[in-house]
């Protein structure tokens, strides 16, 4: 009736994955590099005024 066995420990919470995990993915970094390059190229094009 009085069972004093210790309860099993609760499962450890999973490690949260934030923004740095997302930025470490190669396809995302490639996409952001291409988009950044296009934005940079168009801004330089506008500044030079060709």
């Amino acid at each position: 009736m009085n069972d004093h066995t210790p309860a099993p420990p609760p499962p450890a919470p999973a490690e949260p994955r934030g923004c740095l995990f997302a930025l470490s993915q190669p396809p995302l970094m490639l996409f952001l590099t291409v988009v950044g390059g296009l934005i940079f190229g168009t801004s330089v094009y506008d500044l030079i005024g060709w």
Side-chain angles (χ1 to χ4, degrees):
M1 193 160 214
N2 288 333
D3 189 12
H4 293 292
T5 58
E15 183 177 329
R17 294 182 174 181
C19 185
L20 290 179
F21 175 78
L23 287 178
S24 68
Q25 304 303 312
L28 178 62
M29 288 305 295
L30 181 63
F31 173 75
L32 292 177
T33 302
V34 169
V35 170
L38 289 173
I39 292 173
F40 179 75
T42 55
S43 63
V44 168
Y45 178 79
D46 284 343
L47 289 174
I48 291 176
W50 283 344

